[in-house]
């Protein structure tokens, strides 16, 4: 998606921090866009991103997914057209993204995976009260 083809109201995919989302463009400049989150594709990675998969770090970060309709400025270069037929509901997409990352961590089955799963269990309780 080039800058020239971007328009207000476009539905796009956005990588932000370590998550990936389906978003709508609500403001647009040549270099950045303000997008609002509609759905989650990939849940953010847990832990210290500078020491990926390490558990012996000063702070093992817990990262939440962006909230429904949360807005964030992103460079236009990171926007990609959303190619799905329809946008899933936010809660269903969050549930699916959590399930996917939890399955990957269970397959990994190491100290990092156990700690990350613990963080995700806490987030699941928060998300789906």
């Amino acid at each position: 998606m080039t800058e020239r083809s971007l328009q207000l109201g476009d539905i796009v995919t956005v990588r932000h921090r370590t998550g990936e989302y389906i978003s709508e463009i609500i403001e647009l400049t040549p270099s950045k866009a303000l997008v609002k989150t509609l759905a989650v594709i990939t849940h953010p990675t847990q832990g210290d991103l500078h020491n990926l998969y390490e558990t012996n770090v000063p702070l093992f970060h817990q990262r939440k997914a962006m909230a429904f309709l949360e807005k964030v400025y992103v460079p236009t270069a990171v926007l990609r057209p959303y190619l799905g037929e329809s946008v899933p509901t936010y809660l269903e997409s969050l549930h699916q993204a959590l399930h996917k990352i939890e399955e990957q961590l269970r397959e990994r089955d190491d100290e990092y995976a156990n700690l990350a799963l613990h963080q995700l269990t806490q987030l699941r309780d928060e998300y789906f009260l």
Side-chain angles (χ1 to χ4, degrees):
M1 186 171 264
T2 65
E3 287 179 29
R4 294 173 216 250
S5 67
L6 295 173
Q7 296 181 9
L8 292 180
D10 282 355
I11 305 300
V12 293
T13 61
V14 177
R15 288 210 49 85
H16 181 66
R17 301 204 173 135
T18 63
E20 186 173 8
Y21 305 90
I22 301 169
S23 301
E24 179 183 348
I25 298 173
I26 58 174
E27 278 183 29
L28 190 59
T29 70
S31 62
K32 65 182 176 181
L34 180 64
V35 297
K36 68 179 175 183
T37 304
L38 303 175
V40 181
I41 297 171
T42 305
H43 193 280
T45 303
Q46 304 303 296
D48 184 340
L49 298 180
H50 300 290
N51 298 291
L52 199 54
Y53 307 124
E54 296 295 322
T55 56
N56 188 17
V57 293
L59 178 61
F60 193 89
H61 297 272
Q62 183 184 66
R63 290 188 181 75
K64 293 182 180 180
M66 290 179 57
F68 181 58
L69 302 181
E70 183 175 345
K71 297 170 183 78
V72 64
Y73 281 101
V74 295
T76 55
V78 303
L79 301 176
R80 300 289 175 257
Y82 175 63
L83 302 176
E85 291 183 25
S86 63
V87 176
T89 67
Y90 178 82
L91 285 178
E92 181 59 30
S93 70
L94 178 59
H95 178 75
Q96 297 245 352
L98 269 172
H99 178 73
K100 183 177 178 181
I101 196 169
E102 288 168 341
E103 285 301 309
Q104 291 169 345
L105 291 167
R106 283 187 192 97
E107 288 175 15
R108 188 181 170 89
D109 191 29
D110 61 10
E111 188 177 3
Y112 166 80
N114 292 333
L115 191 49
L117 279 167
H118 177 71
Q119 299 282 26
L120 292 171
T121 299
Q122 290 176 340
L123 287 174
R124 181 180 285 280
D125 292 344
E126 254 183 74
Y127 292 151
F128 301 109
L129 278 178

